[in-house]
Amino acid sequence: MSTCLFCKMVSGEIQPDIVYQNDFVLAFNDINPKAPVHVLIIPKQHIETLNELTDAGLAGQLFSAAPIIAKQLGLSENGYRLVVNCNKHGGQEVYHLHIHLLGGRQMTWPPG
């Protein structure tokens, strides 16, 4: 998808601040962080929302990357939060599936 911001990152057209990647996922620091650590984990394949994610293997790749990144960033012991927003009412702003990994401070509940 030539107009998708995250696809441009996957293709290298835009250079994000990458913290992790493998053959299936790319993870990078959010440019508008909501916590001291705010990483976005995306599939390299364009999938607009969680509603379109039908590949259990890819879902596993996305969620398996989170603890690797958390450990790399020193979040494992104290903890972190994963958030997936889906569509407008869920707060999704970029229509390329992504997981927010938030940490570095105490999270509160309810989130919003």
Side-chain angles (χ1 to χ4, degrees):
M1 298 221 39
S2 61
T3 61
C4 173
L5 175 67
F6 291 172
C7 287
K8 288 179 180 182
M9 292 178 183
V10 170
S11 74
E13 185 178 338
I14 295 174
Q15 296 295 318
D17 183 11
I18 297 172
V19 297
Y20 175 83
Q21 69 176 314
N22 64 24
D23 291 340
F24 306 99
V25 305
L26 175 67
F28 51 90
N29 288 310
D30 193 302
I31 62 168
N32 187 19
K34 304 302 182 199
V37 175
H38 188 168
V39 173
L40 300 179
I41 305 168
I42 69 168
K44 288 186 174 180
Q45 171 187 346
H46 182 83
I47 300 171
E48 284 200 10
T49 75
L50 185 60
N51 291 336
E52 285 79 39
L53 180 61
T54 59
D55 182 340
L58 182 55
Q61 287 288 332
L62 288 165
F63 280 94
S64 294
I68 295 168
I69 296 163
K71 183 175 183 179
Q72 175 184 316
L73 298 177
L75 301 175
S76 296
E77 187 173 323
N78 287 332
Y80 54 95
R81 176 172 288 167
L82 299 177
V83 176
V84 178
N85 300 321
C86 185
N87 285 322
K88 183 179 178 181
H89 284 191
Q92 187 173 3
E93 294 179 3
V94 177
Y95 283 81
H96 183 124
L97 176 63
H98 54 286
I99 299 171
H100 297 260
L101 186 154
L102 302 152
R105 68 167 167 81
Q106 176 67 53
M107 298 292 145
T108 59
W109 196 262

